Each structure stands twice: as structure tokens, then as C-alpha cells.
């Protein structure tokens, strides 16, 4: 049976508007050519507004994430693959997106001492802390040394467990 769905904005007499999702279902009797139609309209204003707020929030997050001076990397806790990184991380470490995104964190971030990271997480778990902090030095392609403070914090986003790795250049402090 043919279905048509339309989402449209309807002005209210007292001012303002609501969003309606209107669905038309039509069925035909194959023998006599008769048809019947059913029109259903639902108020989807809250759904539309929630979606717009989420999209606005995602845009604000993306702008902050990309504009931050610190390098940020998001790692999926389940697969331990890198899912995102910001421009500051790439500039700081001179890594490329192709060498990081979708790759296992141990490969993409091979400059980290993963044994130390694991021990830090275990110690944090015993102390019932959710954040770890380690310091490391990496040798860049031009043989210069970059000293980093790396903070890792777990969080949930869209029912997905992620690790946020914050890379801060502390070369000036050392």
C-alpha cells in the first residue's frame, strides 16, 4: 500500500508553531478498483527541537575540539581504535589523519609507553580515580624532542565508551 510522509511546520493561532509528521496510507481493492485512505498526523515538535539542539551541540563540540590548543584523541574503549583527533594533535606530533584514524591506539600512538599507560590505569582503578596522567618525550622526524603531558579520561557518548586523550606540550616547563 502506497505511503507518503511529510514533516511540516504549522502556525498556531495564538502564535508560534508546531511540527507535524503527516502520513497518508492508501490501499486499493484489486477486484473493484475501490480505494481507502488513512491520514495520520503526529506532533513531532519535541523530536525536531531535540534533534536541532543535538546538532547545535555537536557543532559547538566540533568547533571547540578542533580549535583547542591541546591535542585531543578519542579512542573507542571496546576496540581500542582511534576514532578522532584534532588539528592540534596532528600539528604537535606531526602525525597524519591517515596514520591515526581507525588504527589501533598502540599502533597510531606508538610513541607512548603502553606498559606505563596500562600500569597507570590499573593504579587509577585501585585508587578509584577515573583519570590518569603520564609524562613522556617523543622524538620528532627532525630529531627535536617534544615533551608531553598526557591525560586520559573515560566518558560515554551516544552509548559508546570512549577514552579522551589530552596531549599537552610541556616542553617549555621542563
Amino acid at each position: 500500500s502506497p505511503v507518503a510522509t511529510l514533516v511540516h511546520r504549522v502556525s498556531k493561532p495564538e502564535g508560534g508553531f508546531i511540527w507535524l509528521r503527516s502520513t497518508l496510507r492508501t490501499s486499493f481493492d484489486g477486484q473493484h478498483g475501490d480505494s481507502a485512505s488513512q491520514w495520520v498526523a503526529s506532533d513531532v515538535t519535541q523530536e525536531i527541537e531535540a534533534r536541532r539542539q543535538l546538532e547545535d551541540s555537536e557543532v559547538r563540540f566540533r568547533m571547540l575540539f578542533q580549535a583547542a590548543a591541546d591535542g585531543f584523541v578519542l579512542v573507542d574503549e571496546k576496540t581500542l581504535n582511534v576514532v578522532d583527533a584534532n588539528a592540534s594533535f596532528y600539528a604537535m606530533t606531526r602525525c597524519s589523519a591517515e596514520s591515526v584514524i581507525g588504527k589501533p591506539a598502540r599502533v597510531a600512538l606508538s610513541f607512548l609507553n603502553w606498559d606505563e599507560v596500562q600500569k597507570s590505569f590499573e593504579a587509577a582503578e585501585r585508587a578509584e580515580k577515573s583519570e590518569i596522567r603520564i609524562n613522556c618525550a617523543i622524538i620528532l622526524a627532525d630529531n627535536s624532542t617534544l615533551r608531553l603531558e598526557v591525560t586520559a579520561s573515560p566518558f560515554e557518548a551516544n552509548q559508546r565508551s570512549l577514552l579522551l586523550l589530552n596531549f599537552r606540550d610541556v616542553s617549555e616547563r621542563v
Side-chain angles (χ1 to χ4, degrees), residues 66-121:
Q66 289 301 339
D70 287 355
F72 289 111
V73 174
L74 293 175
V75 176
D76 184 301
E77 274 196 72
K78 185 176 179 182
T79 65
L80 295 179
N81 287 342
V82 175
V83 295
D84 205 354
N86 71 349
S88 292
F89 171 79
Y90 297 126
M92 185 183 298
T93 62
R94 301 184 187 142
C95 292
S96 67
E98 295 78 27
S99 68
V100 173
I101 304 300
K103 304 287 191 278
R106 284 183 179 264
V107 173
L109 309 173
S110 60
F111 54 82
L112 289 177
N113 179 336
W114 285 96
D115 291 334
E116 183 181 349
V117 170
Q118 183 65 35
K119 287 176 188 172
S120 295
F121 268 114

Side-chain angles (χ1 to χ4, degrees), residues 41-74:
S42 303
D43 182 348
V44 292
T45 305
Q46 289 181 333
E47 179 184 329
I48 297 289
E49 291 303 319
R51 188 177 312 129
R52 282 197 174 156
Q53 288 174 3
L54 179 61
E55 288 169 358
D56 289 348
S57 175
E58 287 174 349
V59 166
R60 285 191 306 276
F61 169 79
R62 177 64 43 198
M63 288 171 54
L64 287 169
F65 184 75
Q66 289 301 339
D70 287 355
F72 289 111
V73 174
L74 293 175

Side-chain angles (χ1 to χ4, degrees), residues 120-161:
S120 295
F121 268 114
E122 290 167 359
E125 198 171 84
R126 284 191 302 274
E128 297 182 8
K129 292 182 178 178
S130 62
E131 179 179 283
I132 67 162
R133 186 170 306 222
I134 60 172
N135 290 300
C136 65
I138 62 173
I139 308 299
L140 300 174
D142 64 2
N143 286 328
S144 63
T145 300
L146 176 64
R147 298 196 183 286
L148 296 171
E149 175 183 85
V150 183
T151 306
S153 307
F155 73 99
E156 295 279 327
N158 297 327
Q159 299 176 345
R160 187 176 185 186
S161 295

Side-chain angles (χ1 to χ4, degrees), residues 1-50:
S1 68
V3 175
T5 300
L6 173 69
V7 176
H8 51 103
R9 195 169 92 164
V10 177
S11 296
K12 298 187 322 186
E14 65 274 13
F17 61 89
I18 63 170
W19 287 94
L20 290 180
R21 178 180 294 124
S22 300
T23 304
L24 174 65
R25 288 183 175 84
T26 304
S27 60
F28 297 96
D29 177 350
Q31 293 178 345
H32 305 296
D34 295 335
S35 67
S37 297
Q38 176 187 30
W39 187 275
V40 178
S42 303
D43 182 348
V44 292
T45 305
Q46 289 181 333
E47 179 184 329
I48 297 289
E49 291 303 319

